């Protein structure tokens, strides 16, 4: 036994019990199904061929009466025309002498009206009487009959006229190539023509009554139930002319002579097998009662093969479903044998993934039952320990978030109170009132009932109040523009997110310019599942070497650049709350300004904050909080 065989047997022996039983059923079911598939594929072609040809013959048998009915409806129009008084007068010589004398105009008008009625109520498109008369004859030139009665010269060069001139026919159904180009274009591409006799100057003048109609009325019938299987149906005349075809290209390729089909007309199978361009085809056909045309349907062998393959695939699919069902039942039955072993093994695998779920207590206390009981005891102990560690970790996380929030402080409180003091000394009571009102509103928004979240609208107002209070100190040197879509206003945002960034833009951006004045713009938008806020200023900007440090512990070190601890804490708090995909990002051009992008998760639930307008309510809500201080702007 070589190494490959040993490896294969080792892998086979190491399979689970349920897998081994499933493989046994798989091979037990697969072998007979395979033999059946081979046997079925050999027999399928002949079965499908017979069924297809039978189906085509039945379909043709249903289409033949419909075609005969249409053609009979056309031919019956001749009998209807013969009942008209004008027709009888002209052709049956009941009252018309056949001279050049005027004919009965009232009868001619009635005849024309009846022709128009027939063309509107029957499949006939147009009716023409071709008479071997000069163009000056009253029947040809008159206004009453000139539309229908035409001189023979207008069709003398047509194929059908040559047929009537050389042979004697009582009627002739003419396919398109029998007709002149003018007839096909203006009247119809198929015609039913019967010869009639007219006496002129004591001589019989040949005349032809032609009823034109469209081949579409026949094509609609043979197309109605056509399968999209590469087959083609067409009608041919006894002169091997194609009348209509569902696919002219295929009917040209598979065209068969009328005589060949007629030879096999009375065969028992009523179909013909032939080779065309190296491909085998099967023809089913039926003859029309009037005229003796053939309706032929050609089915290429390739389409039968495709249908056979499709049926084999259907069989394979059914076999696969049966096999899958057998395997499913086998697995269920095998599970009753190896279920408890698999449960213990699977539970131990889940321990590796940190999923500590005890099993159901066993009803049978054998060796496996004792193993399951021991495993459950171990799992419960380990889960209790993990839950305790998780609780401690959650409490630590909450404490860290609260600590970070407590560090974010509006650094201007001292300066604002000092400004109020000097306003009081100067007796500017109105300005003191407005400043105190704005300061109260500012702290109401800072220290609301919910110390964690507020709305974007409230947070933007909070930042705007901060700028207003700073403008009291800096003589309105700072413009603050808020351009936020209305749909962002009710969305939640952690408190004290915007104000530290605006504060940093003022103290370390705008106030460090020579003019000590500038503009801050707050905009926002949504991106898929995120909310983006952008705070841009036209301050002095941030140097390229310092920009990567601003959101790190190094950048929050007071020894590096003033103190950016508040900015770092905002960024760190957002990442603690929402994950590493959220937080702040900085872009800056020294001498031109800075842009700070705030990325938050898009939460559809809006926040509704209760307004607190009274001073005593504000005092009840106020708690002193430790904020990290930055006196660089004092």
């Amino acid at each position: 036994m070589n190494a490959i065989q040993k490896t294969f047997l080792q892998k086979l022996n190491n399979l689970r019990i349920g897998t081994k039983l499933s493989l046994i059923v798989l091979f037990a079911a697969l072998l007979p199904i395979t033999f059946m598939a081979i046997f079925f594929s050999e027999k399928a072609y002949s079965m499908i061929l017979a069924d297809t040809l039978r189906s085509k013959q039945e379909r043709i048998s249903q289409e033949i009466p419909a075609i005969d009915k249409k053609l009979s409806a056309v031919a019956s129009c001749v009998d209807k025309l013969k009942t008209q008084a004008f027709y009888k007068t002209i052709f049956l010589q009941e009252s018309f002498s056949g001279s050049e004398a005027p004919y009965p105009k009232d009868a001619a008008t009635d005849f024309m009206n009846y022709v128009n009625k027939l063309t509107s109520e029957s499949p006939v498109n147009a009716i023409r009487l071709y008479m071997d008369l000069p163009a000056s004859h009253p029947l040809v030139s008159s206004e009453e009959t000139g539309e229908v009665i035409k001189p023979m010269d207008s069709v003398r060069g047509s194929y059908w006229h040559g047929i009537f001139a050389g042979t004697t026919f009582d009627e002739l159904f003419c396919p398109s190539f029998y007709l002149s180009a003018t007839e096909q274009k203006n009247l119809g591409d198929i015609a039913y023509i019967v010869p009639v006799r007219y006496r002129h100057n004591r001589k019989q003048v040949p005349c032809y009554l032609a009823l034109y109609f469209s081949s579409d009325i026949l094509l609609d019938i043979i197309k109605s139930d056509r399968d999209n299987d590469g087959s083609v149906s067409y009608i041919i005349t006894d002169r091997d002319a194609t009348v209509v075809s569902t696919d002219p290209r295929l009917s040209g390729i598979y065209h068969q002579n009328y005589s060949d089909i007629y030879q096999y007309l009375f065969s028992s199978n009523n179909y013909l097998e032939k080779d065309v361009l190296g491909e085998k085809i099967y023809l089913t056909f039926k003859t029309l009662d009037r005229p003796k045309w053939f309706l032929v349907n050609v089915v290429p062998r390739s389409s039968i093969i495709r249908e056979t393959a499709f049926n084999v695939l259907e069989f394979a699919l059914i076999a696969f479903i049966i096999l899958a069902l057998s395997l499913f039942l086998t697995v269920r039955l095998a599970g009753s044998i190896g279920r408890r072993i698999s449960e213990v093994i699977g539970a131990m695998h889940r321990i590796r993934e940190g999923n500590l779920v005890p099993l159901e207590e066993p009803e049978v206390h054998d060796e496996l039952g004792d193993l399951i009981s021991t495993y459950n005891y171990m799992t419960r102990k380990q889960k209790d320990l993990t839950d305790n560690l998780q609780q401690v970790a959650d409490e630590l996380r909450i404490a860290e978030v609260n600590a970070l929030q407590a560090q974010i402080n509006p650094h201007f409180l001292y300066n604002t109170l000092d400004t109020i003091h000097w306003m009081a000394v100067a007796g500017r009571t109105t300005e003191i009132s407005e400043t105190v009102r704005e300061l109260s509103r500012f702290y109401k928004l800072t220290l609301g009932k919910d110390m964690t979240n507020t709305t974007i609208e409230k947070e933007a107002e909070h930042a705007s109040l901060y700028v207003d209070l700073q403008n009291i100190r800096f003589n309105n040197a700072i413009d603050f523009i808020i351009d936020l879509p209305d749909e962002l206003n009710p969305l939640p945002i952690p408190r004290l997110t915007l104000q530290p960034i605006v504060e940093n833009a003022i103290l370390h951006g705008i106030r460090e310019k020579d003019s000590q004045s500038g503009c801050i713009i707050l905009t926002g938008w949504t991106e898929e599942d995120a909310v983006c806020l952008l705070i841009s200023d036209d301050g002095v900007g941030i140097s390229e070497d310092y920009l990567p440090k601003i959101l790190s512990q190094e950048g929050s070190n007071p020894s590096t650049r003033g103190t950016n601890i508040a900015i770092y804490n905002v960024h760190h708090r957002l990442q603690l709350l929402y994950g590493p995909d959220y937080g702040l990002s900085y872009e800056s051009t020294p001498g031109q300004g800075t842009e700070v992008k705030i990325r938050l998760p898009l939460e559809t639930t809006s926040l509704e904050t209760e307004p607190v307008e009274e001073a005593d309510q504000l005092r009840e809500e106020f708690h002193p909080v430790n904020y990290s201080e930055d006196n660089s702007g004092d």
Side-chain angles (χ1 to χ4, degrees):
M1 183 178 297
N2 56 35
I4 297 178
Q5 291 176 333
K6 288 182 179 179
T7 303
F8 175 75
L9 290 176
Q10 184 177 1
K11 291 183 178 180
L12 192 62
N13 291 329
N14 290 336
L15 293 175
R16 297 171 180 264
I17 294 176
T19 304
K20 293 177 181 178
L21 291 175
S22 299
L23 287 175
I24 293 173
V25 173
L26 176 64
F27 286 115
L30 194 58
L31 290 176
I33 289 177
T34 302
F35 285 117
M36 288 177 62
I38 295 173
F39 176 79
F40 177 77
S41 63
E42 292 179 352
K43 299 292 184 182
Y45 178 79
S46 58
M47 294 169 56
I48 294 174
L49 173 61
D51 182 69
T52 302
L53 296 177
R54 179 188 55 79
S55 174
K56 298 296 183 182
Q57 290 172 352
E58 290 178 354
R59 188 168 298 175
I60 288 177
S61 298
Q62 296 171 0
E63 293 169 350
I64 288 294
I67 295 174
D68 283 334
K69 184 177 180 181
K70 290 290 184 182
L71 296 179
S72 296
V74 173
S76 66
C77 292
V78 173
D79 297 330
K80 294 177 181 178
L81 289 172
K82 290 180 179 181
T83 63
Q84 297 301 301
F86 179 78
Y87 187 93
K88 292 178 179 179
T89 300
I90 299 300
F91 295 105
L92 302 183
Q93 300 296 310
E94 292 183 355
S95 61
F96 186 55
S97 64
S99 67
E100 300 286 349
Y103 53 86
K105 293 186 177 181
D106 291 341
T109 301
D110 293 340
F111 179 75
M112 289 300 300
N113 291 336
Y114 189 74
V115 166
N116 293 331
K117 179 181 178 182
L118 274 183
T119 55
S120 63
E121 295 178 353
S122 68
V124 176
N125 295 340
I127 297 175
R128 294 291 183 268
L129 269 167
Y130 297 105
M131 305 179 71
D132 197 2
L133 297 173
S136 60
H137 193 278
L139 290 176
V140 178
S141 61
S142 70
E143 182 178 349
E144 291 81 6
T145 60
E147 179 65 24
V148 172
I149 300 177
K150 299 293 182 180
M152 191 67 71
D153 291 341
S154 62
V155 292
R156 201 175 297 278
S158 64
Y159 188 65
W160 66 262
H161 183 269
I163 294 175
F164 276 110
T167 57
T168 302
F169 285 103
D170 293 334
E171 63 179 9
L172 182 65
F173 281 93
C174 302
S176 58
F177 89 93
Y178 282 24
L179 309 178
S180 66
T182 303
E183 290 176 287
Q184 295 181 46
K185 179 179 178 181
N186 300 326
L187 303 176
D189 57 352
I190 300 182
Y192 173 66
I193 302 175
V194 295
V196 292
R197 294 294 176 181
Y198 169 67
R199 182 177 296 277
H200 178 61
N201 294 332
R202 304 179 182 275
K203 295 181 181 180
Q204 290 289 341
V205 177
C207 306
Y208 300 99
L209 177 59
L211 287 75
Y212 297 91
F213 58 100
S214 173
S215 60
D216 289 341
I217 65 173
L218 306 181
L219 187 60
D220 290 341
I221 297 173
I222 64 177
K223 260 189 174 181
S224 60
D225 295 325
R226 181 170 173 259
D227 298 324
N228 188 19
D229 57 0
S231 63
V232 60
S233 295
Y234 60 90
I235 297 175
I236 62 171
T237 70
D238 54 356
R239 295 175 180 261
D240 289 330
T242 301
V243 181
V244 291
S245 171
T246 57
D247 190 327
R249 183 184 66 86
L250 291 179
S251 62
I253 295 173
Y254 300 138
H255 181 80
Q256 299 299 310
N257 294 331
Y258 184 92
S259 58
D260 292 340
I261 298 175
Y262 187 80
Q263 180 181 354
Y264 290 92
L265 177 62
F266 303 104
S267 65
S268 58
N269 292 326
N270 210 27
Y271 77 90
L272 182 62
E273 179 180 325
K274 300 196 72 174
D275 288 325
V276 176
L277 299 178
E279 182 180 15
K280 184 175 290 186
I281 62 172
Y282 301 94
L283 296 92
T284 54
F285 45 86
K286 285 282 186 179
T287 183
L288 299 174
D289 290 338
R290 181 184 184 186
K292 296 301 180 180
W293 294 348
F294 277 117
L295 173 57
V296 182
N297 183 270
V298 181
V299 183
R301 184 175 183 271
S302 57
S303 66
I304 304 294
I305 294 176
R306 284 195 298 270
E307 188 172 353
T308 303
F310 178 76
N311 281 269
V312 171
L313 287 177
E314 282 187 335
F315 173 81
L317 179 61
I318 295 172
F320 175 78
I321 294 173
I322 294 173
L323 184 61
L325 181 61
S326 301
L327 286 175
F328 173 75
L329 296 175
T330 302
V331 170
R332 294 297 299 270
L333 293 174
S336 65
I337 299 173
R339 178 179 55 83
R340 290 191 296 164
I341 297 176
S342 299
E343 285 180 354
V344 174
I345 295 174
M348 290 182 176
H349 286 169
R350 288 193 293 271
I351 291 177
R352 298 179 183 178
E353 302 171 358
N355 189 6
L356 303 175
V357 179
L359 300 172
E360 293 184 4
E361 287 297 325
E363 297 179 358
V364 179
H365 294 282
D366 53 7
E367 290 82 358
L368 278 176
D370 294 339
L371 178 61
I372 293 174
S373 297
T374 304
Y375 166 79
N376 287 342
Y377 174 79
M378 177 190 68
T379 301
R380 283 191 293 268
K381 288 295 183 182
Q382 190 170 351
K383 191 174 185 306
D384 291 341
L385 178 61
T386 302
D387 290 343
N388 291 336
L389 291 175
Q390 184 64 40
Q391 182 177 358
V392 172
D394 292 342
E395 292 174 354
L396 180 62
R397 177 177 172 274
I398 294 172
E400 185 177 1
V401 171
N402 291 334
L404 288 172
Q405 184 174 357
Q407 293 177 18
I408 302 175
N409 177 39
H411 306 301
F412 67 102
L413 177 60
Y414 169 78
N415 292 327
T416 304
L417 293 177
D418 186 59
T419 301
I420 295 172
H421 165 71
W422 288 111
M423 287 179 180
V425 171
R428 294 152 58 186
T429 56
T430 301
E431 296 180 25
I432 292 172
S433 175
E434 293 177 357
T435 304
V436 170
R437 187 184 306 112
E438 289 192 357
L439 186 63
S440 299
R441 177 64 177 170
F442 177 83
Y443 274 101
K444 185 199 77 170
L445 295 173
T446 304
L447 304 167
K449 291 181 180 180
D450 184 355
M451 291 295 294
T452 303
N453 285 330
T454 184
T455 63
I456 291 178
E457 181 180 21
K458 297 292 184 183
E459 186 67 3
E461 181 185 358
H462 180 254
S464 179
L465 288 170
Y466 170 78
V467 175
D468 291 344
L469 291 170
Q470 286 288 41
N471 273 329
I472 295 173
R473 293 178 55 207
F474 302 140
N475 296 322
N476 296 319
I478 303 162
D479 292 328
F480 186 51
I481 300 173
I482 300 175
D483 185 15
L484 292 173
D486 293 340
E487 60 267 19
L488 296 186
N489 287 332
L491 300 181
I493 185 175
R495 286 183 183 274
L496 298 175
T497 297
L498 302 182
Q499 182 271 331
I501 301 172
V502 174
E503 177 185 0
N504 203 56
I506 295 173
L507 300 182
H508 300 303
I510 295 174
R511 295 298 295 171
E512 292 186 7
K513 295 168 61 178
D514 292 339
S515 64
Q516 293 192 340
S517 63
C519 179
I520 301 173
I521 301 175
L522 170 61
T523 58
W525 64 90
T526 58
E527 293 179 353
E528 295 181 355
D529 58 347
V531 176
C532 294
L533 302 176
L534 183 68
I535 300 176
S536 56
D537 66 72
D538 58 356
V540 296
I542 304 172
S543 62
E544 293 182 1
D545 59 338
Y546 184 74
L547 187 62
K549 304 176 183 178
I550 196 167
L551 297 178
S552 64
Q553 290 280 6
E554 183 180 356
S556 63
N557 190 337
S559 64
T560 57
R561 187 178 184 267
T563 171
N564 287 314
I565 184 66
I567 299 299
Y568 168 75
N569 286 339
V570 169
H571 176 65
H572 190 36
R573 176 174 59 154
L574 292 178
Q575 291 200 327
L576 282 174
L577 290 173
Y578 305 124
D581 293 335
Y582 304 96
L584 308 183
S585 60
Y586 268 75
E587 291 184 8
S588 182
T589 303
Q592 296 184 14
T594 302
E595 288 187 349
V596 184
K597 184 178 179 181
I598 307 168
R599 183 177 170 83
L600 303 167
L602 178 59
E603 300 181 20
T604 56
T605 305
S606 61
L607 294 175
E608 296 293 339
T609 56
E610 297 181 359
V612 181
E613 300 295 343
E614 300 298 333
D616 55 348
Q617 290 176 310
L618 181 61
R619 287 194 294 272
E620 289 176 3
E621 293 181 359
F622 183 80
H623 317 260
V625 181
N626 260 334
Y627 293 90
S628 55
E629 188 165 344
D630 181 357
N631 296 320
S632 62
D634 292 349

